[in-house]
Amino acid sequence: MKVVAYSIKPFEKEFLAKANQKKHDITLISNPLGPDTAIFAQGKDAVVVFTNDDVSAPVVEKLADLGIKYIATRSAGTDHIDKDAAGKRGIKLANVPAYSPQAIAEHTAALALSLSRHIVKADQHSHHFDFKLDELIGFNFFGKTVGLIGLGHIGHATAAIFKGLGCKVIAYDVVTPADTQGIEMVSLEELLKTADVISLHAPLTPQTRHLINKDTIALMKPGVMLLNTSRGALVDTAAAVDALEQGRIGYLGLDVYENEKGLFFEDHERDTNHDPLLARLMAHPNVIVTPHQAFLTNEALQQIADQTIKNLDQWQNNKCVGNACVCAKNCRVVPVNIETTVN
Ligand code: NAD
């Protein structure tokens, strides 16, 4: 299959080469997909994209006009793709539904522990030979209530870590998962009112967009810790900044930001203007922002590359894969079975 893969970072190349074994003819380019770069798909069967690529309806139309039949995203989330537009033009979609959920769960825990123990500030002070203990008092997670919004693959992996720390884990999901051992399922309202730590693990959908807003923040315990490693737009960032300034949110750990497209994954240090909302947010000492890196482990990167190539293999054999297409119900879908355990 002839393929162009967009937004490829140098570190991804070896993982993709190992997965591909020269089966598919893949052109790797660093440019993101967008209206101006869609032309690179000319003569190809498939495009491979990532979360911050522009796969909106106009771009999907351009790809379809260029003869693209398949779009594979190297991510679990598919919110960056206009699925209806793809469905209308008969373009098949595939994602990587469950790669190493532990990678994202462990990053969530890293944000939580770094915030609670002021690790960033302590390290900065230590590097200046300032070993005072002032302003470094933390809190124990043991005995705290952790509320997970979304109890899928990553929610479960996150629950396991916080249970290990001796937390009470509660969760809210629109679907009750088969396995909720040691996790109490509660309503969204109860979770917001009772959790000391709230961690978001739901996909971005019209229902979850700005799920965390002025009204839902008002229900939270004063001084709550809020963690988001899912998608930026689950949080109304302006409302979160207001809540930080009022002390309603005590700690904020973000791996994703609602306006991250065109910003994250690149060095913008020398830009004359910095995103004012993000700058205001990061001015708070009790905020940690990481650049959508929760997936960035060797294990996860190899699983992403392996599954992406498997998706291309299935299409090459005229089979559908996963359930990312809007037309999935009409397809002969091959269930995706990938090893999600990290050794
Ligand atoms: P998953 O599909 O296994 O689980 C998502 C869960 O959210 C499901 O149980 C679903 O029922 C639930 N859900 C859906 N709508 C909801 C709602 N309105 N309220 C509450 N729960 C709802 O997905 P996953 O693998 O656990 O991934 C979760 C999200 O994490 C992905 O959608 C993606 O956006 C994000 N993610 C981020 C990174 C990163 O690097 N930061 C990496 C991978 C995934």
Side-chain angles (χ1 to χ4, degrees):
M1 189 172 280
K2 282 190 185 308
V3 184
V4 56
Y6 288 92
S7 296
I8 293 289
K9 301 288 173 208
F11 60 78
E12 285 180 276
K13 290 180 183 173
E14 66 170 280
F15 295 103
L16 277 166
K18 190 173 164 198
N20 189 33
Q21 297 294 319
K22 299 191 173 154
K23 280 184 287 188
H24 303 283
D25 174 2
I26 309 180
T27 306
L28 304 177
I29 60 173
S30 58
N31 311 56
L33 173 61
D36 301 334
T37 55
I39 191 68
F40 295 133
Q42 191 152 35
K44 312 291 184 191
D45 306 297
V47 296
V48 170
V49 299
F50 196 49
T51 51
N52 286 348
D53 282 315
D54 177 357
V55 203
S56 58
V59 177
V60 169
E61 284 297 320
K62 284 195 179 195
L63 293 175
D65 291 344
L66 290 166
I68 288 298
K69 297 182 230 32
Y70 310 102
I71 300 174
T73 182
R74 312 191 294 285
S75 59
T78 54
D79 49 273
H80 52 300
I81 303 173
D82 192 318
K83 297 188 248 325
D84 290 328
K88 273 184 204 142
R89 295 298 302 264
I91 295 180
K92 302 266 183 249
L93 307 178
N95 63 339
V96 185
Y99 60 88
S100 186
Q102 292 82 5
I104 294 86
E106 289 172 17
H107 193 78
T108 307
L111 292 176
L113 291 163
S114 303
L115 282 165
S116 71
R117 305 307 293 266
H118 309 288
I119 297 296
V120 175
K121 186 191 282 181
D123 183 57
Q124 284 167 349
H125 288 189
S126 295
H127 277 77
H128 289 98
F129 278 75
D130 171 0
F131 301 114
K132 289 197 311 293
L133 294 179
D134 308 57
E135 301 172 29
L136 298 182
I137 299 173
F139 67 81
N140 287 4
F141 274 87
F142 184 86
K144 295 289 185 298
T145 299
V146 174
L148 306 175
I149 298 182
L151 191 59
H153 296 94
I154 297 170
H156 270 106
T158 308
I161 295 174
F162 284 113
K163 278 196 269 179
L165 291 175
C167 299
K168 175 182 176 184
V169 178
I170 61 175
Y172 164 73
D173 198 303
V174 284
V175 177
T176 303
D179 175 18
T180 57
Q181 216 181 3
I183 304 167
E184 188 186 337
M185 298 306 293
V186 296
S187 67
L188 178 61
E189 187 175 337
E190 187 179 343
L191 185 147
L192 294 170
K193 284 181 173 168
T194 57
D196 301 296
V197 177
I198 296 176
S199 192
L200 308 180
H201 302 290
L204 177 60
T205 65
Q207 291 72 38
T208 61
R209 182 175 292 276
H210 286 189
L211 183 75
I212 303 302
N213 56 46
K214 187 167 160 278
D215 297 333
T216 48
I217 292 170
L219 296 174
M220 295 176 191
K221 281 186 170 181
V224 66
M225 177 184 284
L226 178 64
L227 306 167
N228 187 9
T229 56
S230 59
R231 282 291 179 271
L234 265 70
V235 176
D236 176 347
T237 315
V241 176
D242 289 344
L244 275 165
E245 286 170 359
Q246 294 153 10
R248 284 211 57 84
I249 292 179
Y251 307 84
L252 183 62
L254 301 180
D255 184 51
V256 285
Y257 167 54
E258 62 178 319
N259 304 321
E260 71 177 54
K261 197 172 268 192
L263 185 63
F264 280 14
F265 306 147
E266 302 297 334
D267 183 355
H268 290 276
E269 191 178 355
R270 290 168 199 275
D271 289 5
T272 33
N273 294 314
H274 286 147
D275 181 308
L277 184 60
L278 189 58
R280 200 175 134 209
L281 182 82
M282 293 195 297
H284 292 268
N286 44 351
V287 171
I288 293 184
V289 174
T290 54
H292 202 145
Q293 68 174 81
F295 70 98
L296 204 64
T297 67
N298 287 316
E299 294 84 351
L301 287 169
Q302 193 58 63
Q303 288 178 12
I304 290 168
D306 289 348
Q307 187 57 44
T308 300
I309 298 302
K310 277 186 200 166
N311 291 342
L312 299 176
D313 294 345
Q314 296 287 3
W315 284 330
Q316 177 109 48
N317 296 325
N318 288 322
K319 289 178 184 161
C320 275
V321 59
N323 57 6
C325 299
V326 281
C327 62
K329 282 191 232 71
N330 306 324
C331 294
R332 195 157 60 83
V333 175
V334 177
V336 177
N337 290 317
I338 59 166
E339 183 57 60
T340 57
T341 310
V342 177
N343 297 313

